[in-house]
C-alpha cells in the first residue's frame, strides 16, 4: 500500500518534469475564502444531570463556527496545477477555537493533473474526502454539528463515542493522500498517515476515544456519483487500518465506513454507517473477555431532505455506541435533528437546527447521589445566519 | 491483518491502477473537497456559492470551471503575437479561440503590394508548435486590381519564430 502511494506520488511528481518547460504561466495569487456561522442556541439540559454535576446551565447561548481559508494555485505550462491551502479557525464556539482561537488546523499543498491529485499535509484522509452520509439542510451534521458535538446539550465527561460516520480518527494528522481522477462517476482515494498522533487529536473534541498512539495508518476510500434516469445516486465506502498502541492496548485498529444518498426530484434520502474494531494482539485487555476493549464501536445515521429551491428542510437520526473504559458496557449518543435553511442571496443563508440529544455512559448511576452526571438529555433549538465567502 | 482484508486491499489497489491507466480516456480530472458539515463531497467542478461569486474574494474568476471563461490560450503566446503584429492593423482578435486576423497592410515603400496575416494559437502551453501563422500577399496587376501572389514559404515560419522569441522574452521577464 505504501509502495503504491509512493509510486503514484512519484508518478505525479515525475509529470512535473515532462513535456518540456514546466514553468508556471502565472505566479501564485492569494485567494481568500471561508465561512461564518453564528447561532443563537436554546438548550434545556436534564435536571438530573445538572444536579449530578452540581452545575446549572444557561438555557440560551451564542455559538459560532468561523474559518478563513488562504489559498492559491497556479497552472504550469504543461497543464499541471500546484497549490496550497490553509484553514484558520476564526473564533466561535468550537472547543478548538476557544482554547486556541487562531489555530490553523489544516495546511497542505497539492499537485493536480490528469492522472490524479496528490495532497501532502494536514487534510482529511481519502476515505473522509469521498464519504457520503445522511443529508442535513443546515450543513450542521458530523462531529462539528451543534447538536452532535455537545455544544448545546452538554456531553457528560464520561461519555466517549464516535460523532460522525466519517473515519476521522486521524483528524488533522499530517499525511499523503492520492485521489484518482473521476472515472464514469467513480473516484478512489488512498492515504498514508505515518503517525496519527502527530497532532493532538484528542484535544480537538473530535472522536476523543482513548486511543493515543496509532502508527503507520493506511486508508482507502471510494466514492461514486451518477444519475440513472430521474434518480441521483451517491455511494461511498472507506477502510482505514493501522497499529493502535495506546497505554495497555496493542493491536490492529480497523475502521470501515459506507454511505449512500439517493435523490429523486426534490427529495434526498441518505444514510451511513461506520464501525471501529480493535483487533488486540496483547496488552492490558488481551485474553480478558470479561473486560471490554476500549475502542470498539459503531455509529450510523439516516436522514431525509426536501429541497424546495431557495429553502431546504431535513430530518436526521444518528446513533452511536462505543466501549470506552474498563467497565463492560457501551456509551451511547442518540440525536434526532430537524434542520432548515433559507437562501437569501448567493452565499447568505438563514439556518435553523433543533431536536433531541441523549448522552449515556455505561456506568450505573452513583448511589447516594441526587443526580446522574453520566447521563444527559434534552431538547435544543438554534437559529442562525451563515455567510460563505 | 487477515486474508480478507488483504484480498479486498488487493482489489482496491487493482481498481486504482485501472482507473489511473484509463484516466486518459473516460476519466475526468475533478477531485473532491470536504466542506465543514457537508454530507457529501464537493467535486472540483462544483463551485462554492459565495457572497463574492463562485471563486470567492480575490478569486481568479478567469480560472472558473474551465468552461469557456477567461483567455483560452497561452497568455505569453497571445501577448507575443499581438506585440509582433503590432505594426499592422488588426481586424479581429479573439483570445478565447486564439485567433488574430489582421487587415490588409501596405508598406509605404511598396504601395503596390499588401499583406494580411492570420495567427492561430493552438495551445494553453507555451510550446513551439503552439502557434501557427499564415501570410497572404497581393499585388496590383496591370489594371490596378489586387491579385493574389505566392509568398515565400519561410516567411510564415520566420513570423512564428519571432512570436516565439517574443513569448520567451515575456516569460523570462515575468519570472524575474
Amino acid at each position: 500500500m505504501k509502495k503504491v502511494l509512493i509510486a503514484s506520488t512519484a508518478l505525479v511528481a515525475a509529470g512535473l518534469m515532462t513535456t518540456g518547460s514546466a514553468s508556471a504561466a502565472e505566479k501564485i495569487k492569494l485567494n481568500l475564502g471561508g465561512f461564518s456561522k453564528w447561532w443563537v442556541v436554546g438548550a434545556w439540559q436534564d435536571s438530573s444531570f445538572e444536579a449530578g454535576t452540581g452545575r446549572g446551565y444557561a438555557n440560551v447561548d451564542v455559538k459560532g463556527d468561523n474559518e478563513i481559508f488562504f489559498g492559491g494555485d497556479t497552472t504550469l505550462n504543461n497543464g499541471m496545477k500546484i497549490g496550497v491551502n490553509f484553514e484558520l479557525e476564526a473564533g466561535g464556539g468550537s472547543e478548538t477555537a476557544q482554547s486556541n482561537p487562531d489555530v490553523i488546523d489544516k495546511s497542505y499543498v497539492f499537485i493536480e493533473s490528469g492522472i490524479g491529485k496528490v495532497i501532502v499535509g494536514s487534510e482529511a484522509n481519502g476515505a473522509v474526502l469521498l464519504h457520503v452520509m445522511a443529508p442535513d439542510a443546515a450543513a450542521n451534521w458530523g462531529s462539528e454539528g451543534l447538536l452532535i458535538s455537545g455544544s448545546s446539550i452538554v456531553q457528560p465527561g464520561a461519555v466517549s463515542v464516535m460523532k460522525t460516520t466519517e473515519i476521522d480518527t486521524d483528524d488533522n494528522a499530517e499525511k499523503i493522500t492520492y485521489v484518482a481522477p473521476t472515472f464514469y462517476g467513480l473516484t478512489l482515494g488512498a492515504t498514508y498517515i505515518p503517525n496519527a498522533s502527530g497532532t493532538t487529536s484528542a484535544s480537538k473534541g473530535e472522536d476523543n476515544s482513548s486511543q493515543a498512539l496509532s502508527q503507520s495508518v493506511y486508508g482507502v476510500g471510494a466514492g461514486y456519483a451518477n444519475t440513472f434516469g430521474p434518480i441521483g445516486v451517491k455511494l461511498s465506502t472507506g477502510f482505514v487500518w493501522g497499529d493502535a498502541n495506546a497505554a495497555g492496548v496493542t493491536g490492529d485498529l480497523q475502521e470501515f465506513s459506507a454511505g449512500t444518498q439517493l435523490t429523486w426530484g426534490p427529495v434526498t434520502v441518505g444514510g451511513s454507517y461506520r464501525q471501529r474494531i480493535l483487533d488486540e494482539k496483547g496488552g492490558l485487555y488481551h485474553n480478558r473477555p470479561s473486560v471490554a476493549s476500549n475502542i470498539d464501536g459503531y455509529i450510523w445515521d439516516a436522514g431525509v431532505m426536501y429541497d424546495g429551491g431557495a429553502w431546504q428542510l431535513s430530518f436526521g437520526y444518528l446513533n452511536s455506541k462505543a466501549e470506552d473504559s474498563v467497565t463492560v458496557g457501551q456509551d451511547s449518543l442518540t440525536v434526532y435533528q430537524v434542520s432548515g435553511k433559507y437562501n437569501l442571496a448567493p452565499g447568505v443563508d438563514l439556518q435553523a437546527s433543533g431536536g433531541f440529544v441523549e448522552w449515556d455512559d455505561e456506568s450505573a448511576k452513583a448511589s447516594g447521589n441526587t443526580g446522574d452526571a453520566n447521563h444527559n438529555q434534552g431538547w435544543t433549538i438554534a437559529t442562525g445566519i451563515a455567510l460563505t465567502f | 491483518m487477515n486474508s480478507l482484508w488483504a484480498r479486498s486491499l488487493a482489489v482496491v489497489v487493482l481498481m486504482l491502477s485501472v482507473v489511473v491507466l484509463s484516466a486518459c480516456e473516460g476519466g475526468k480530472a475533478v477531485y473532491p473537497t470536504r466542506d465543514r458539515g457537508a454530507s457529501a463531497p464537493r467535486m472540483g467542478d462544483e463551485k462554492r456559492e459565495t457572497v463574492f461569486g463562485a471563486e470567492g474574494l480575490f478569486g481568479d474568476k478567469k480560472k472558473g470551471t474551465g468552461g469557456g471563461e477567461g483567455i483560452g490560450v497561452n497568455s505569453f503566446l497571445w501577448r507575443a503575437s499581438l506585440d509582433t503584429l503590432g505594426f499592422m492593423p488588426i481586424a479581429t482578435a479573439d483570445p478565447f479561440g486564439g485567433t488574430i486576423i489582421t487587415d490588409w497592410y501596405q508598406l509605404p515603400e511598396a504601395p503596390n503590394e499588401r499583406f494580411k496575416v492570420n495567427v492561430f494559437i493552438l495551445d494553453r502551453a507555451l510550446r513551439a508548435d503552439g502557434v501557427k501563422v499564415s501570410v497572404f500577399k497581393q499585388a496590383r496587376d496591370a489594371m490596378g486590381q489586387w491579385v493574389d501572389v505566392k509568398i515565400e514559404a519561410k516567411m510564415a515560419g520566420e513570423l512564428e519564430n519571432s512570436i516565439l522569441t517574443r513569448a520567451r522574452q515575456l516569460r523570462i521577464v515575468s519570472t524575474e
Side-chain angles (χ1 to χ4, degrees):
Chain A
M1 185 63 211
K2 199 193 305 184
K3 277 182 198 155
V4 174
L5 254 176
I6 289 170
S8 53
T9 308
L11 204 66
V12 173
L16 284 171
M17 289 171 267
T18 59
T19 62
S21 165
S23 303
E26 289 167 10
K27 287 178 184 172
I28 292 183
K29 277 186 200 147
L30 175 77
N31 191 8
L32 198 59
F35 62 83
S36 175
K37 291 183 186 179
W38 286 101
W39 303 82
V40 177
V41 187
W44 293 268
Q45 321 285 337
D46 191 10
S47 55
S48 153
F49 174 74
E50 288 186 320
T53 54
R55 294 175 183 175
Y57 288 87
N59 291 125
V60 179
D61 199 359
V62 177
K63 295 280 185 191
D65 187 6
N66 299 271
E67 281 194 16
I68 300 170
F69 307 151
F70 305 93
D73 59 63
T74 186
T75 306
L76 305 185
N77 281 322
N78 62 10
M80 197 161 267
K81 191 163 143 188
I82 296 190
V84 291
N85 194 52
F86 307 101
E87 296 184 8
L88 174 71
E89 293 288 341
S94 77
E95 290 173 48
T96 312
Q98 278 180 346
S99 57
N100 242 334
D102 53 358
V103 71
I104 286 185
D105 62 348
K106 282 186 178 168
S107 164
Y108 60 87
V109 294
F110 63 87
I111 304 167
E112 188 180 311
S113 76
I115 57 168
K117 178 178 185 178
V118 172
I119 304 163
V120 183
S122 299
E123 165 64 322
N125 67 48
V128 171
L129 281 176
L130 294 163
H131 187 66
V132 177
M133 50 190 183
D136 187 75
N140 201 7
W141 205 240
S143 58
E144 307 278 343
L146 264 184
L147 277 65
I148 299 168
S149 67
S151 299
S152 47
I153 300 300
V154 177
Q155 175 179 5
V159 176
S160 176
V161 288
M162 292 182 276
K163 292 175 185 167
T164 172
T165 55
E166 301 161 286
I167 307 179
D168 64 347
T169 310
D170 52 294
D171 197 18
N172 294 321
E174 294 79 6
K175 65 198 72 155
I176 303 172
T177 297
Y178 169 74
V179 185
T182 299
F183 186 66
Y184 294 115
L186 177 71
T187 313
L188 300 176
T191 296
Y192 171 59
I193 308 148
N195 189 343
S197 63
T199 53
T200 52
S201 105
S203 69
K204 291 193 172 161
E206 293 177 359
D207 293 353
N208 47 353
S209 302
S210 39
Q211 81 281 9
L213 290 163
S214 293
Q215 288 176 326
S216 285
V217 179
Y218 302 90
V220 286
Y224 179 74
N226 214 335
T227 310
F228 300 97
I231 298 175
V233 176
K234 282 183 182 170
L235 295 168
S236 76
T237 184
F239 181 48
V240 173
W241 69 99
D243 302 331
N245 296 304
V249 183
T250 56
D252 292 331
L253 180 69
Q254 297 172 350
E255 293 197 61
F256 167 80
S257 71
T260 184
Q261 274 186 12
L262 302 173
T263 305
W264 191 57
V267 180
T268 301
V269 179
S272 59
Y273 177 78
R274 168 185 176 190
Q275 184 156 25
R276 179 189 282 168
I277 301 164
L278 179 69
D279 187 12
E280 287 175 76
K281 296 285 186 282
L284 195 61
Y285 307 119
H286 186 55
N287 285 337
R288 288 176 66 189
S290 61
V291 175
S293 62
N294 69 347
I295 288 172
D296 291 6
Y298 69 88
I299 176 170
W300 67 278
D301 66 11
V304 57
M305 182 168 86
Y306 185 84
D307 186 345
W311 58 274
Q312 279 100 39
L313 192 66
S314 71
F315 171 74
Y317 172 80
L318 178 139
N319 184 265
S320 179
K321 284 193 165 67
E323 295 155 351
D324 86 313
S325 76
V326 289
T327 315
V328 177
Q330 289 182 319
D331 288 1
S332 73
L333 162 66
T334 308
V335 176
Y336 300 85
Q337 177 169 313
V338 174
S339 286
K341 180 177 101 171
Y342 183 74
N343 185 253
L344 293 173
V348 185
D349 295 318
L350 288 179
Q351 299 183 337
S353 278
F356 182 77
V357 183
E358 181 178 5
W359 303 93
D360 190 32
D361 186 69
E362 84 279 15
S363 57
K365 183 183 165 186
S367 60
N369 197 333
T370 49
D372 186 357
N374 295 327
H375 179 96
N376 191 16
Q377 66 182 53
W379 293 90
T380 179
I381 180 137
T383 55
I385 188 159
L387 301 178
T388 310
F389 57 91
Chain B
M1 190 183 304
N2 62 32
S3 63
L4 176 69
W5 294 129
R7 257 179 288 163
S8 51
L9 179 64
V11 170
V12 170
V13 169
L14 196 71
M15 280 165 73
L16 207 77
S17 42
V18 168
V19 167
V20 169
L21 290 175
S22 54
C24 310
E25 292 153 32
K28 220 162 107 185
V30 293
Y31 304 103
T33 350
R34 189 109 201 146
D35 294 331
R36 174 73 65 91
S39 64
R42 183 169 54 82
M43 300 306 284
D45 48 0
E46 304 167 55
K47 289 289 163 198
R48 289 170 80 231
E49 194 179 58
T50 76
V51 181
F52 302 108
E55 285 287 314
L57 186 62
F58 306 148
D60 192 346
K61 307 279 193 289
K62 285 188 295 182
K63 281 176 191 157
T65 53
E69 300 168 66
I71 181 168
V73 293
N74 186 274
S75 58
F76 294 117
L77 286 176
W78 175 254
R79 277 183 281 153
S81 305
L82 287 175
D83 252 21
T84 310
L85 299 177
F87 67 96
M88 295 175 83
I90 288 171
T92 66
D94 172 15
F96 303 101
T99 56
I100 299 170
I101 298 169
T102 71
D103 218 340
W104 287 106
Y105 173 69
Q106 286 159 269
L107 282 165
E109 309 88 73
N112 283 332
E113 52 187 42
R114 59 181 191 175
F115 293 90
K116 188 175 169 74
V117 177
N118 293 354
V119 179
F120 304 106
I121 299 165
L122 307 168
D123 209 325
R124 294 190 75 120
L126 175 55
R127 42 192 292 165
D129 56 0
V131 61
K132 174 99 178 68
V133 174
S134 321
V135 183
F136 305 94
K137 182 181 175 182
Q138 288 185 339
R140 282 190 209 273
D141 62 7
M143 303 293 291
Q145 297 294 311
W146 290 110
V147 289
D148 287 341
V149 176
K150 196 171 185 308
I151 58 144
E152 292 174 62
K154 66 173 186 181
M155 200 170 167
E158 277 171 5
L159 259 175
E160 282 172 10
N161 283 342
S162 50
I163 289 172
L164 290 168
T165 308
R166 185 77 189 117
R168 191 155 56 237
Q169 288 168 348
L170 286 170
R171 199 183 85 58
I172 289 165
V173 170
S174 80
T175 51
E176 271 169 0

